Amino acid sequence: MTRGLDLAGGRASAHHAATLSRQLKQLENELGAPLFTRTNHGLTLTQAGLYLKTRAQEILTLTQQTEQTFIDQRRQLFSGNLNIGAVEADSSHTLANELAGFTAEYPAVTFDLFTGTSDDLFDRLDKGLIDLALLLEPVNADKYDHLTLAHTERWGLVVSVDAPIATKPVIEPADLPEVPLIISSRGAVQQLLASWSEIKLTDLKIVGHFNLIFNVMPLVQAQVGAALTIEGVIDPQNHAGVRFIPF
């Protein structure tokens, strides 16, 4: 026997009141005992009604405890270590949020996080050294199970605040030929720059290449060059004297 009764406070419509009254009367008929004493002031629980209320609360408590037991058992079934690779990107915040929820849901699971270039991560995926990777386009992930995150990264240059270009709000293609550049050693990123600017790489002042950008910041501060990167990778508060200018 299952009955759904809504006894929440508030003013019910005449139709809902009549429906509730029929449900209560039908429940009393099925149980063979009055559950309420009806007066002009409302309804009062009888002894049978109080007993039913107590048993219903016990059933709800048992149901909640049983559900929690199954949840706890499911969490314990998932254990082990997850190896994750990630490039330097602002979307690492998305990874952090996902991991926060995942580790809370499955506390028996630990993780190892490896930071590298996309080439490094593809190599580790192929060798089975990592289980999943957070990558940055342009990449060719056709042979892997993959999905595209909704977050969109902004490309631009990290420049010294003393560089002539530092006063510009955005970088335009026409600005690039006069700027000494330090860019990624990845061919795909280099082609991305050439396609966006519609300028051949040989016509740009490329003074150096890098795989990870952290150690490039002193070069930017010394005005050796402006570094091609993504917004959010470098925190200006931790790297005085530089600023990011988006394309």
Side-chain angles (χ1 to χ4, degrees):
M1 176 185 67
T2 302
R3 295 292 174 199
L5 302 179
D6 184 4
L7 301 181
R11 183 175 298 176
S13 66
H15 172 72
H16 289 163
T19 300
L20 179 60
S21 179
R22 286 195 300 271
Q23 289 178 335
L24 293 175
K25 191 63 178 176
Q26 184 178 354
L27 181 58
E28 288 179 324
N29 290 337
E30 291 184 4
L31 295 175
L35 302 176
F36 302 93
T37 300
R38 294 166 174 80
T39 67
N40 293 333
H41 299 290
L43 301 176
T44 303
L45 287 172
T46 63
Q47 286 298 113
L50 289 171
Y51 174 77
L52 179 62
K53 176 186 176 183
T54 300
R55 294 306 303 270
Q57 290 173 333
E58 292 173 351
I59 292 172
L60 287 175
T61 299
L62 181 60
T63 299
Q64 292 170 351
Q65 291 175 343
T66 302
E67 290 177 349
Q68 187 60 48
T69 297
F70 275 96
I71 291 173
D72 292 341
Q73 289 178 347
R74 185 186 63 179
R75 287 177 174 176
Q76 292 304 317
L77 286 175
F78 288 90
S79 61
N81 189 69
L82 188 63
N83 291 287
I84 304 169
V87 295
E88 294 177 318
D90 189 42
S91 56
S92 58
H93 295 293
T94 301
L95 175 63
N97 292 334
E98 293 297 328
L99 276 177
F102 184 84
T103 54
E105 181 71 14
Y106 304 106
V109 176
T110 59
F111 64 88
D112 287 333
L113 181 61
F114 173 82
T115 302
T117 66
S118 295
D119 293 338
D120 293 333
L121 301 185
F122 278 133
D123 182 61
R124 284 176 171 261
L125 278 173
D126 291 338
K127 293 178 178 177
L129 298 176
I130 58 175
D131 302 303
L132 60 94
L134 179 67
L135 301 166
L136 179 67
E137 293 180 331
V139 293
N140 183 5
D142 291 342
K143 72 174 184 176
Y144 305 94
D145 292 327
H146 64 278
L147 57 87
T148 301
L149 301 179
H151 183 81
T152 300
E153 305 280 4
R154 296 182 71 189
W155 285 91
L157 298 179
V158 173
V159 304
S160 166
V161 295
D162 297 322
I165 202 172
T167 59
K168 293 184 65 67
V170 294
I171 300 294
E172 300 175 13
D175 298 321
L176 290 182
E178 300 305 317
V179 180
L181 299 173
I182 308 173
I183 67 174
S184 170
S185 56
R186 291 187 60 224
V189 175
Q190 295 175 17
Q191 290 304 315
L192 181 69
L193 176 63
S195 297
W196 171 78
S197 65
E198 297 184 347
I199 300 173
K200 295 180 180 179
L201 294 175
T202 53
D203 293 332
L204 296 175
K205 291 184 179 180
I206 300 175
V207 299
H209 301 83
F210 63 89
N211 62 340
L212 297 177
I213 197 171
F214 183 82
N215 290 329
V216 177
M217 285 304 98
L219 299 174
V220 175
Q221 292 167 330
Q223 298 191 55
V224 173
L228 174 68
T229 188
I230 297 166
E231 186 175 24
V233 171
I234 295 300
D235 184 357
Q237 294 182 349
N238 296 327
H239 297 85
V242 302
R243 65 176 294 245
F244 175 85
I245 308 177
F247 285 160

